[in-house]
Amino acid sequence: MRFNFASFFVVVNCFLATWTANAETKPASATGQADFTRDIRPILSDSCFHCHGPDESTRKAKMRFDTKEGILANRKGTFPVVPGKPDESEIIKRIFSTDPDEQMPPPDHARQLSAKQKEQLKAWIAQGATWEEHWAFQKPVPPQLTLVKDKKWPRNGIDHFILARLEKENVKPSSEADKATLLRRVTLDLTGLPPTPEELRAFLKDRSPNAYDKVVDRLLASPRYGERMAVDWLDLARYSDTHGYQVDRERIMWPWRDWVIKAFNENKPFDEFTVEQLAGDLLPKPTLDQKIATGFHRNQRINMEGGSIPAEFFVEQVIDRVDTTATVWLGLTLGCARCHDHKYDPLSAKDFYSMYSFFNNINERGVDRENVGRNNIVSTRPFLKLPAPELEAQVAAFDKKIAAQQKEVDALIATLTSEQDSWEKHVATNKPNWNELKLGELKTESGKPLKSTKNNSIVADGDAAEIDTFTITTQTELTHLNGIRLEVFPVPGSTNQLGRSADGQFVLFGFTVEVVSEGKSTPIEFRKVIGTGDRSGFGANLLLRPRENGIGGWSAVSKNGEPATAIFETKEPLTFPKGATIKFQLVQSNPGKTQMGRFRLTATDDTHPQPLTAALTKIFKNPVEKRKEAEAKTAREYFLSYQNDYRPASEEVARLNRERKDIDDQIPRTMVMEELEKPRDAFILVRGAYDQPGERVFPTVPAILPQLPPGAPTNRLGLARWLVDPENPLTARVTVNRFWASYFGRGLVKTIEDFGVQGDLPSHPQLLDWLATEFVRTGWDVKAMQKLIVMSATYRQASRVSPELLERDPENILLARGPRLRLGAEMIRDQALASSGLLKEKIGGPSVKPYQPEGLWEELAAGPEGTGFATYTQGTGEDLYRRSLYTFWKRTVSPPAMSTFDAPTREICTVSRSRTSTPLQALALLNDVTYVEASRALAERMLKEGGSSVEQRIRHGFILATAREPKNVEMKVLKTGLERRMEELRNGNAEKLISMGDSKADENLN
């Protein structure tokens, strides 16, 4: 049985994902009673659901504790739970039992109950065992704004809910941040870039009550806003400029990235934003932009490796789309139901594969090696050509030329076809006469022995050199030449015969021939090669596509002691001058392994030197009128290939088509979704294995959620509209929670990727539902939601925190202070470029390649050295200073300036980035070329723009870097440090200056 590693890792990941500690974020009841949602469900989920939960395959004793019916069920006179009577409840008896055979969970179970948890279960039953359905699966209802004591503090609805919780906890909110801090915070949050000194001065000067309001409106109207919002969405969409896996070739997906930026800047409603990305191609008369939008689900990895199984990777692509859709819009770990029913949430494998069937009908292949590309840029089908008027005009001009030339070819075919029958009869009975060639000079480039033997054959003794060239000069009595035959004979007893085995299994040569007459050399061009054996087609391809040095190749198999033979047919009948010689060059290209053995060269003047293939022989035996269409076509094409009038005319058509393709390939293509006319059948895959189909399923949504409305299409369009249907309890909650997390560092639901039973409870459930219902009520207005959050008093608080509050609420769950977060990877680099004046603010277009450590791709990327997908070609000019959003993203070697600061690889959907602090980050800021250049450019700005005095220049640099005025102590430290460094330079101690740190300055700051 073949072990399915993909399924194994999915299972492991599911268990890791569900082992999440449920923070006690819901305030304890004033009465001390056990609360089902806060206390009881987490206990049941952690310790009971694995054996008594949704997954039927692992359910023990047919008991379910994840439903009210299951936990109250009559079990032959006993009941797991008897409301109000804990002593009669079987659960209580089992959890307090000391008998290993009776105790639950069993003694060897990993998730044992604490004494407190046992008492909570007992108290809950005593209180009546009230059951509540999981909060996230219930439709949010707009709550009333909570009454608060401090009527002046709230600025909008958000603050009522936050303050009510603070007042309940006897905690006061922080004061508002100073104007400079607030401006920097909101500018970075809404645009990803710092405010300019001019913007800072204008805001500080504006004393009007709506000064901050005007700033927010300005930032939301800035094109930088769309770029900032797009960064988070690209993580969710697993956007990259390459396909992933080992053969990590470049793709064109930047048009989709630009669509996202544009959509955010134009404030496209989130419901339209959703529908167009998941099913824009299925809308009535879809526009170009709506088709481009569907690139969301073409951002997944695509395998191009030889030996990969297309069916397996097609399944992986579809599964990736299901997982991503469930994560982004539903906040569910639906992928855990790939191999079995979900262990904790009411999501079955049937639910998973029913969702799978929505994405099962894309017109694509799992392993795509038949693709359209240029310069190592590969767009796999289905793709969309982007507008390119000049190139399209050139293609149209070629179409006209090709049509005219094809008309001539068709006329020739009509004329020549009458001769086909007699030609076939001649060829079927023809046996070429092969003439020996008189051997002249024999030599090898390496100096290895090369000699002639009986039968005019040639012997190469011993193993060949790594790369060796055999030169043979011959003469012939023939006056015309139509074909040359090369035969390679087995050498009895050899264990390395022809490179592989004693059977003489496979050998590959480079092969060139030229005629030398009266001191003039003319290469012979071949139009066809046929070699005996199973691999001859491979060799023919090599010959017809010669390498840079003009050497082609062929391959053949020697069987049963017979020679391996290749017949090279000349492109045109060759007249051979008297006294001329033929010079052959054979290049051994199996380094260090091939023993050449014995080979022979012969020639023929027969007009048809090639033997008929078995297929053609069979076709020619049938009368023309009895041939099937495919047979007639094969015979006709073969006949025409030997007609002297037809060949140049048809070759001209081929040439024009090649040139047309060269132009057409320059038209950018971006990958999009495209539905098959006939849907594929979908099945539950047993244990998640691609080749183990089970029960057939049809497109539908998880049973626990509201179903598709009557009449809705059962395709991606129906699914997309269902996701943003107001009846769906998850999408609005999940989306506003992600928005919230981007400002405060954590969501109202901390596990922003998991709203299921194992996810954290909302810290402010009423606020979450109010935001979700407001989002829907305002028509899914994204900008309005951003403004609502940043205009709140909650957001505008100072981030300073007292030791007491820090100890009580280290994660700022109560939101009694403003957010205090590290900048994301893109913001760190962009801030350096913006502060220094280096940033180039061009929007959109192909991704760029700024500075990165030399040789990184070459060290880590697959592919021959010098190829576009294994060699990093650094950009020039403004490409070095574009926003980080536009940096070329290679999946197998993600941009080091991003990954060093916790950006994901973009191989899978990423909901939240990790936050780390490592020495490597400090080294990057000190040594990366971008930051060194930014430092120099910042110094130049300080000198040019800062004024004439040292103090003025330091102050200007400080404002550029921090968007605030320096404090006196900061000015003192910076001025002292500058003076010390200037003194070092005057004394010629530059090396010491570079190597030392300014410890005294650090002491002053501390």
Side-chain angles (χ1 to χ4, degrees):
M1 179 177 176
R2 184 171 173 269
F3 185 73
N4 191 306
F5 281 94
S7 299
F8 172 74
F9 284 115
V10 166
V11 173
V12 172
N13 190 55
C14 288
F15 279 107
L16 291 176
T18 55
W19 287 353
T20 306
N22 282 283
E24 191 172 305
T25 56
K26 188 172 181 179
S29 169
T31 63
Q33 292 185 336
D35 181 273
F36 180 79
T37 297
R38 185 194 68 237
D39 303 319
I40 305 307
R41 192 193 301 278
I43 295 173
L44 297 175
S45 175
D46 281 354
S47 300
C48 306
F49 282 7
H50 185 270
C51 298
H52 303 293
D55 186 4
E56 186 177 1
S57 65
T58 58
R59 194 180 301 146
K60 304 295 176 64
K62 298 183 180 180
M63 285 196 294
R64 293 189 68 168
F65 295 165
D66 63 312
T67 65
K68 181 179 181 180
E69 295 76 16
I71 209 163
L72 299 177
N74 185 342
R75 305 283 299 173
K76 296 181 180 179
T78 64
F79 298 84
V81 167
V82 180
K85 300 179 180 179
D87 293 340
E88 296 179 19
S89 300
E90 191 67 18
I91 280 181
I92 300 302
K93 295 177 183 178
R94 293 299 188 97
I95 65 174
F96 281 96
S97 174
T98 57
D99 184 346
D101 294 332
E102 294 289 325
Q103 182 181 333
M104 287 294 166
D108 59 351
H109 193 273
R111 313 290 283 187
Q112 293 296 315
L113 297 179
S114 67
K116 179 182 177 181
Q117 289 174 322
K118 293 177 181 179
E119 292 298 333
Q120 285 176 320
L121 280 170
K122 190 173 183 180
W124 169 66
I125 296 174
Q127 292 160 200
T130 301
W131 184 275
E132 299 173 11
E133 296 301 329
H134 184 54
W135 66 271
F137 300 143
Q138 301 176 53
K139 180 183 175 181
V141 177
Q144 294 294 319
L145 293 184
T146 311
L147 295 177
V148 294
K149 297 174 184 176
D150 184 353
K151 308 295 184 184
K152 295 181 180 180
W153 190 76
R155 291 181 178 272
N156 60 30
I158 289 172
D159 302 324
H160 282 267
F161 297 102
I162 296 299
L163 185 58
R165 173 75 183 276
L166 290 174
E167 290 178 343
K168 192 171 186 177
E169 300 280 342
N170 294 318
V171 176
K172 290 186 177 181
S174 298
S175 59
E176 185 167 301
D178 64 83
K179 291 187 76 172
T181 298
L182 189 56
L183 179 68
R184 175 175 164 80
R185 179 190 297 171
V186 73
T187 305
L188 283 167
D189 278 344
L190 289 180
T191 70
L193 295 173
T196 65
E198 294 76 21
E199 291 167 346
L200 175 62
R201 285 192 290 269
F203 183 52
L204 294 177
K205 185 179 178 181
D206 190 346
R207 302 295 181 182
S208 63
N210 65 338
Y212 179 67
D213 196 323
K214 289 186 289 185
V215 165
V216 172
D217 286 342
R218 172 177 59 81
L219 296 174
L220 289 172
S222 167
R224 295 170 168 181
Y225 163 78
E227 293 176 317
R228 163 66 190 97
M229 294 292 289
V231 170
D232 293 341
W233 196 255
L234 299 191
D235 281 358
L236 294 170
R238 62 269 193 254
Y239 170 83
S240 174
D241 293 295
T242 63
H243 290 288
Y245 295 102
Q246 185 175 2
V247 184
D248 196 13
R249 289 182 181 269
E250 184 176 346
R251 57 168 53 163
I252 293 178
M253 290 303 296
W254 57 261
W256 173 83
R257 178 247 287 150
D258 290 356
W259 179 90
V260 172
I261 296 170
K262 181 182 177 184
F264 279 121
N265 277 332
E266 294 180 348
N267 199 27
K268 184 180 287 290
F270 189 77
D271 56 346
E272 294 179 21
F273 184 74
T274 293
V275 169
E276 291 182 16
Q277 289 186 87
L278 294 181
D281 59 309
L282 298 178
L283 291 169
K285 297 181 180 179
T287 64
L288 177 67
D289 274 357
Q290 287 170 336
K291 292 178 181 178
I292 290 173
T294 64
F296 177 88
H297 267 323
R298 294 303 310 285
N299 278 310
Q300 88 287 344
R301 295 183 298 164
I302 295 177
N303 198 334
M304 295 183 178
E305 298 173 15
S308 302
I309 302 171
E312 179 177 14
F313 283 92
F314 175 81
V315 167
E316 293 302 319
Q317 289 175 12
V318 179
I319 285 173
D320 172 79
R321 290 177 182 134
V322 177
D323 289 348
T324 299
T325 302
T327 299
V328 173
W329 280 277
L330 300 175
L332 295 178
T333 55
L334 185 58
C336 291
R338 169 182 178 173
C339 305
H340 48 72
D341 292 346
H342 203 291
K343 297 293 183 186
Y344 303 97
D345 292 331
L347 300 168
S348 65
K350 186 172 184 177
D351 287 332
F352 180 88
Y353 287 102
S354 296
M355 284 280 283
Y356 174 104
S357 62
F358 283 111
F359 299 103
N360 194 39
N361 305 315
I362 310 304
N363 186 18
E364 64 180 343
R365 295 175 287 269
V367 178
D368 207 325
R369 289 186 291 272
E370 295 179 29
N371 45 62
V372 176
R374 185 180 177 86
N375 299 329
N376 291 310
I377 300 175
V378 178
S379 294
T380 63
R381 296 178 176 86
F383 56 75
L384 181 68
K385 287 184 180 180
L386 301 176
E390 292 184 7
L391 294 173
E392 290 169 4
Q394 293 180 49
V395 169
F398 269 104
D399 286 338
K400 289 183 179 179
K401 293 179 183 178
I402 291 168
Q405 183 64 28
Q406 186 63 50
K407 190 174 181 180
E408 292 184 20
V409 170
D410 292 342
L412 272 173
I413 292 173
T415 302
L416 293 170
T417 303
S418 61
E419 304 173 13
Q420 181 175 343
D421 188 54
S422 59
W423 182 88
E424 285 184 10
K425 290 176 181 177
H426 167 73
V427 170
T429 58
N430 180 59
K431 291 186 178 179
N433 180 34
W434 293 98
N435 294 268
E436 299 287 353
L437 297 175
K438 297 177 181 178
L439 297 176
E441 182 182 19
L442 306 173
K443 66 177 183 179
T444 61
E445 192 173 90
S446 65
K448 290 278 186 179
L450 191 66
K451 61 184 179 181
S452 61
T453 64
K454 63 180 181 177
N455 299 326
N456 224 22
S457 60
I458 305 162
V459 172
D461 290 337
D463 288 341
E466 285 194 1
I467 297 177
D468 208 350
T469 302
F470 303 81
T471 303
I472 301 104
T473 302
T474 68
Q475 287 185 311
T476 180
E477 298 296 328
L478 297 174
T479 58
H480 292 82
L481 199 64
N482 283 325
I484 293 172
R485 182 176 64 179
L486 174 61
E487 298 168 282
V488 181
F489 297 88
V491 177
S494 170
T495 59
N496 193 26
Q497 175 62 32
L498 304 181
R500 289 292 176 88
S501 70
D503 295 329
Q505 202 172 36
F506 176 56
V507 64
L508 179 66
F509 298 101
F511 188 73
T512 58
V513 187
E514 55 188 38
V515 175
V516 182
S517 178
E518 298 179 352
K520 185 178 180 180
S521 179
T522 305
I524 297 179
E525 293 185 66
F526 298 106
R527 70 183 187 89
K528 186 180 293 187
V529 59
I530 292 181
T532 60
D534 299 335
R535 297 291 299 276
S536 58
F538 178 74
N541 287 338
L542 284 176
L543 181 73
L544 297 173
R545 295 178 178 87
R547 295 185 288 273
E548 289 182 4
N549 59 6
I551 298 168
W554 64 276
S555 59
V557 180
S558 175
K559 293 182 177 179
N560 302 322
E562 294 296 320
T565 303
I567 297 173
F568 298 83
E569 190 172 325
T570 60
K571 189 172 183 180
E572 301 289 348
L574 179 66
T575 301
F576 197 73
K578 188 174 182 180
T581 60
I582 307 175
K583 184 179 180 182
F584 295 89
Q585 280 196 321
L586 291 80
V587 181
Q588 179 264 338
S589 58
N590 196 7
K593 297 180 180 179
T594 299
Q595 185 182 58
M596 286 290 296
R598 183 162 61 93
F599 59 98
R600 181 170 61 192
L601 291 160
T602 51
T604 185
D605 58 2
D606 196 282
T607 57
H608 190 273
Q610 299 284 8
L612 289 176
T613 63
L616 280 168
T617 301
K618 184 178 179 180
I619 291 173
F620 284 1
K621 287 181 179 178
N622 286 338
V624 174
E625 63 275 7
K626 291 186 179 181
R627 292 174 187 170
K628 297 178 182 177
E629 184 178 348
E631 293 176 334
K633 181 181 177 183
T634 300
R636 182 171 62 254
E637 288 176 351
Y638 190 73
F639 159 71
L640 291 171
S641 69
Y642 279 93
Q643 307 312 305
N644 293 337
D645 293 337
Y646 170 82
R647 282 207 304 269
S650 63
E651 286 172 2
E652 178 64 9
V653 172
R655 183 190 68 79
L656 290 171
N657 274 306
R658 286 194 298 271
E659 292 186 15
R660 180 195 184 281
K661 185 177 184 302
D662 286 342
I663 300 298
D664 188 62
D665 283 351
Q666 295 176 45
I667 299 175
R669 293 163 168 81
T670 189
M671 300 190 299
V672 295
M673 301 284 269
E674 181 181 275
E675 203 81 346
L676 290 170
E677 290 185 10
K678 181 181 178 182
R680 293 185 179 96
D681 292 340
F683 304 89
I684 295 175
L685 299 180
V686 180
R687 299 174 65 89
Y690 77 95
D691 55 354
Q692 297 294 321
E695 177 189 348
R696 186 180 176 187
V697 292
F698 300 89
T700 190
V701 298
I704 192 65
L705 297 173
Q707 295 302 288
L708 293 173
T714 53
N715 56 17
R716 284 181 287 114
L717 183 58
L719 174 66
R721 288 172 174 163
W722 170 83
L723 287 170
V724 289
D725 190 307
E727 295 299 312
N728 189 316
L730 288 167
T731 301
R733 279 179 174 139
V734 168
T735 305
V736 297
N737 190 61
R738 255 197 327 267
F739 291 156
W740 188 271
S742 71
Y743 294 106
F744 294 95
R746 59 170 285 155
L748 294 168
V749 176
K750 183 180 179 181
T751 52
I752 57 179
E753 76 288 348
D754 186 4
F755 274 49
V757 172
Q758 287 291 102
D760 279 9
L761 297 173
S763 60
H764 298 75
Q766 285 190 311
L767 173 57
L768 179 64
D769 282 2
W770 184 78
L771 289 171
T773 52
E774 278 295 288
F775 193 32
V776 176
R777 185 187 66 81
T778 59
W780 302 87
D781 190 324
V782 177
K783 282 190 177 182
M785 183 55 59
Q786 313 311 311
K787 184 172 183 178
L788 182 67
I789 294 173
V790 301
M791 290 298 295
S792 68
T794 304
Y795 175 81
R796 293 157 73 165
Q797 294 177 97
S799 59
R800 291 185 300 273
V801 58
S802 66
E804 296 78 17
L805 183 58
L806 183 63
E807 182 178 359
R808 179 172 180 177
D809 186 17
E811 293 187 64
N812 198 22
I813 295 171
L814 298 177
L815 294 162
R817 61 184 187 273
R820 188 174 183 174
L821 307 170
R822 297 188 64 175
L823 298 182
E826 290 84 356
M827 285 191 199
I828 290 173
R829 179 175 174 274
D830 292 350
Q831 180 178 244
L833 294 175
S835 300
S836 64
L838 290 175
L839 185 67
K840 303 300 180 184
E841 294 194 58
K842 175 185 174 183
I843 294 181
S847 297
V848 297
K849 296 178 180 176
Y851 298 113
Q852 76 171 32
E854 187 177 349
L856 189 64
W857 277 20
E858 290 79 353
E859 182 74 21
L860 300 175
E865 187 175 350
T867 58
F869 53 99
T871 303
Y872 187 83
T873 304
Q874 182 180 293
T876 58
E878 70 173 18
D879 285 359
L880 298 172
Y881 310 111
R882 296 281 304 281
R883 287 197 70 168
S884 301
L885 170 73
Y886 303 114
T887 297
F888 188 93
W889 205 287
K890 187 176 181 68
R891 278 198 169 98
T892 52
V893 194
S894 52
M898 303 295 107
S899 56
T900 301
F901 295 95
D902 303 320
T905 62
R906 298 258 176 87
E907 292 185 301
I908 58 173
C909 170
T910 304
V911 177
S912 60
R913 298 183 179 184
S914 60
R915 292 192 182 98
T916 65
S917 181
T918 69
L920 185 59
Q921 293 165 350
L923 289 171
L925 294 174
L926 286 169
N927 299 296
D928 187 281
V929 178
T930 296
Y931 296 104
V932 173
E933 288 194 358
S935 300
R936 183 175 66 241
L938 177 62
E940 291 174 357
R941 287 192 73 181
M942 293 166 67
L943 292 171
K944 292 177 181 178
E945 304 170 6
S948 57
S949 70
V950 169
E951 288 82 0
Q952 288 174 323
R953 290 169 175 174
I954 290 176
R955 176 172 281 103
H956 184 58
F958 192 94
I959 292 172
L960 285 170
T962 67
R964 67 173 175 85
E965 289 280 347
K967 299 174 183 177
N968 290 336
V969 65
E970 292 168 334
M971 280 294 296
K972 182 179 178 181
V973 168
L974 291 170
K975 187 176 179 182
T976 302
L978 175 63
E979 291 170 351
R980 182 177 295 113
R981 283 158 173 75
M982 294 299 292
E983 184 64 26
E984 290 288 346
L985 287 171
R986 282 192 289 269
N987 293 335
N989 294 329
E991 291 184 4
K992 179 181 177 183
L993 173 64
I994 292 170
S995 63
M996 68 180 287
D998 197 342
S999 58
K1000 289 186 178 179
D1002 292 339
E1003 290 172 9
N1004 288 336
L1005 277 175
N1006 293 331

